[in-house]
Amino acid sequence: STSSLLFRFLPFLRWLPRYPIKDWLLGDIVSGFSVGIMHLPQGLAYALLAGLPPVTGLYSSFYPVFLYFFFGTSRHNSVGPFAVISVMIGSLTESMLPSENFLESVNGTNATVNEELRDAARVELVATITVLTGIFQVALGLLQFGFVVTYLSDPLVRGYTTASSVHVLVSQLKNVFGVSQSEHSGPLSLFVTVIDLCKKLPDTNVGTLVTAIIAMVAILIVKELNHKFAAKLPMPIPIELITIIVSTGISYGVNLKDKFGISVVGNIPSGLKPPVAPKISYFGQVVGNAFAIAVVGYAICISLGKIFALKHGYKVDSNQELIALGLSNFLGGFFQCFAISCSMSRSLVQESTGGNSQVAGVISSLVILVTILKIGELFRDLPKAILAAIIIVNLKGMFKQFKDLSTLWKTNRVDLLVWIVTFVATLLLNLDIGLAVSVAFGLLTVIFRTQLPHYSILGRISDTDVYRDVKEYEMAQEVPGVKIFRSSSTLYFANVELYAEALKKKSGIDVDRLIEKKKKALKKLKKQQKKLEKEKAKREKPWSNDAGSPSLPQNAEDGPGPAVIELSGGESSAPSEPTLHSLGLPQPSFHAVILDFSPVSFVDTVSIKILKNIFKDFHEIEVDVFVAGCGGEGDLQSYEPRPGRASFGTQLIVQGVPPWCSHPQGFPRGQVLQVVPWIQSEP
């Protein structure tokens, strides 16, 4: 209905009328102010990271945060500028619109960069990327594609964000050392930037370096104190805000720019700007990057949102989160914002200072609005080194993710490999190509895991109905005359041939060799039979005497020969099929193979063909093949075990394949050909 659709797309209509003002409002106001105070320095800093004028960071801390109130379902996520997304945007602005494109010669002397023109062009480009990112997110949300983030496993996201942090760190070193650097993009650009920086270290501006180091030390110490005394402090000490206020005051009073050549933020225009349409001609160039930003931004948001939702006992709608982020980006793009995500540090502060709902986000956005309208222009003398210090200190949490390496080494080596490959690929190939390579590698590990599953022969643990791998469980004993075979993975075209090979190997006999021997023996037998038939025909052939009367065969008086008796006896009844025993071949030590299909969730046409071959091959060596444990709701007719009938776990064992394996050339659908009578006891 219309009302349910409205409630779904505008979640605030559902929770706002029930908002408990007495219990929540004070906590939300305190939390909103705390986060708003964090937004201010981080917004300015992350704009610098994205290669944009600082005011865009303030816009990105206002519009999307305000819009999220209406569409978002997470009560504790603090949306807004985020380091990883900012550096992804920064790498794009620097590659598409490098500073070299805006060089202008003044009075025929040294060329300088026209920053005003460059910034205007970059803002236009980034607004387009942001709008396109929003379109992707809204489209994925409407199509119920919230699950797309499941392809970004936790080790992949953590490896990617750690590598992104290295990119962020390297990008800010020029502001710490006070040197001018040309931008580099593409694969290996990180290393080119580091080498270039090392060459320029002799030109370090000492004043800038000292400013940055003092700021970093001060922020780190106070943040540690905030963490240590979190329970005693009503709200964290806003050290980042204090740092930018104090440093701006010192910079203005001492005139750091002119005296020491310290680079400052420059003019920050006050007031809001009217919306501007994005430049559609950029769409084709940035479509891949916009999709990467959309997916990474959403992955970080939903993982944070789910952590808080689990902790506080509410539900986050993954598809609605996509739509909320998408609309925040889409509409924000028209107002010169850059793409946003969620910040772990701000979200933790929002939660720890008593934030209970999205109202805290509105309060923080109003703090930024006041800054944009009245206070922002006062920060024009803020040294860029201070913003670089804020960015670098905020990377501390991400660099702690290196601890994952030791944890994953102990728990899961495949996940460790995903983490390392993601980290290295992102460092070497840059953020966009690195992400694509990481996702591809992550999916490859899944394919390899299904291609190389664990194959086992199951045995029964005595006096129970429990079946386990006989190699791993000493108490598990094989049922005499029966081989129960299990694969830990489902069956599909990539692993079904390996399944068939493993089954033959685990059965303990060389099936193909035995079939070959049988064929040779049958061929030999056929030749012998043909020879006997020829001899018989020769003996029985009538021949005429001179009188023309038929004559009896030479041995007629002695009666028919033994070969004739044998063959004539076969004429009255069909000859019996030769057995391995009658052919003088070794017989298998078992008479049945049971395929445990409990891990099999689906099969394809290739699997059906191979399964038919398995049935055929084992039939050739006089072994029956049965399928057990075919699961899947609606896939099987229900076969309830009856008293006196054998059961394997909870499924009845049937010969043939499950109904969903039926195929034009396959087996009869749902046909129970034979019940296995010898699971519970020996035959």
Side-chain angles (χ1 to χ4, degrees), residues 345-358:
S345 57
R346 289 198 306 269
S347 299
L348 287 171
V349 167
Q350 183 164 320
E351 183 209 27
S352 61
T353 52
N356 296 297
S357 72
Q358 292 91 319

Side-chain angles (χ1 to χ4, degrees), residues 459-474:
R460 184 177 165 194
I461 295 173
S462 56
D463 302 324
T464 70
D465 284 329
V466 178
Y467 291 81
R468 290 289 182 267
D469 186 349
V470 292
K471 278 194 175 179
E472 292 179 7
Y473 292 81
E474 287 179 12

Side-chain angles (χ1 to χ4, degrees), residues 632-650:
E633 192 177 341
D635 287 336
L636 285 170
Q637 298 171 6
S638 77
Y639 300 120
E640 293 294 332
R642 293 176 194 165
R645 297 181 77 179
S647 66
F648 179 67
T650 56

Side-chain angles (χ1 to χ4, degrees), residues 111-131:
T112 55
V113 176
N114 186 329
E115 290 188 2
E116 199 175 320
L117 266 176
R118 181 197 66 188
D119 289 350
R122 285 184 174 182
V123 165
E124 191 177 39
L125 169 67
V126 171
T128 306
I129 296 166
T130 306
V131 167

Side-chain angles (χ1 to χ4, degrees), residues 47-244:
L48 186 71
L49 193 55
L52 298 169
V55 73
T56 57
L58 297 179
Y59 296 152
S60 302
S61 300
F62 167 62
Y63 290 106
V65 179
F66 186 73
L67 289 165
Y68 185 82
F69 166 82
F70 299 101
F71 304 109
T73 58
S74 173
R75 302 207 306 247
H76 296 90
N77 270 1
S78 173
V79 297
F82 180 60
V84 173
I85 303 297
S86 299
V87 80
M88 288 174 84
I89 292 165
S91 68
L92 198 57
T93 56
E94 287 171 5
S95 64
M96 289 183 68
L97 296 168
S99 297
E100 291 87 61
N101 291 9
F102 302 92
L103 288 173
E104 286 183 358
S105 56
V106 184
N107 302 327
T109 57
N110 290 342
T112 55
V113 176
N114 186 329
E115 290 188 2
E116 199 175 320
L117 266 176
R118 181 197 66 188
D119 289 350
R122 285 184 174 182
V123 165
E124 191 177 39
L125 169 67
V126 171
T128 306
I129 296 166
T130 306
V131 167
L132 194 54
T133 298
I135 291 169
F136 276 128
Q137 287 173 329
V138 171
L140 289 170
L142 291 172
L143 293 168
Q144 306 287 295
F145 265 49
F147 70 86
V148 78
V149 78
T150 56
Y151 294 110
L152 302 181
S153 65
D154 192 49
L156 190 149
V157 171
R158 291 174 77 85
Y160 184 76
T161 50
T162 309
S164 302
S165 305
V166 177
H167 278 279
V168 172
L169 176 66
V170 170
S171 73
Q172 291 311 298
L173 291 176
K174 63 182 180 188
N175 292 319
V176 170
F177 289 100
V179 294
S180 60
Q181 257 190 304
S182 55
E183 291 104 358
H184 305 281
S185 59
L188 301 175
S189 61
L190 184 85
F191 302 96
V192 175
T193 306
V194 171
I195 292 163
D196 187 38
L197 182 77
C198 291
K199 286 177 184 174
K200 291 186 176 177
L201 281 180
D203 304 328
T204 300
N205 183 310
V206 179
T208 304
L209 183 60
V210 170
T211 305
I213 291 170
I214 292 169
M216 277 192 266
V217 170
I219 295 167
L220 269 172
I221 290 168
V222 176
K223 282 205 167 195
E224 282 302 312
L225 291 172
N226 278 342
H227 181 67
K228 200 171 184 181
F229 300 106
K232 295 178 183 177
L233 293 168
M235 64 177 276
I237 300 164
I239 184 60
E240 291 170 345
L241 182 66
I242 293 167
T243 307
I244 67 167

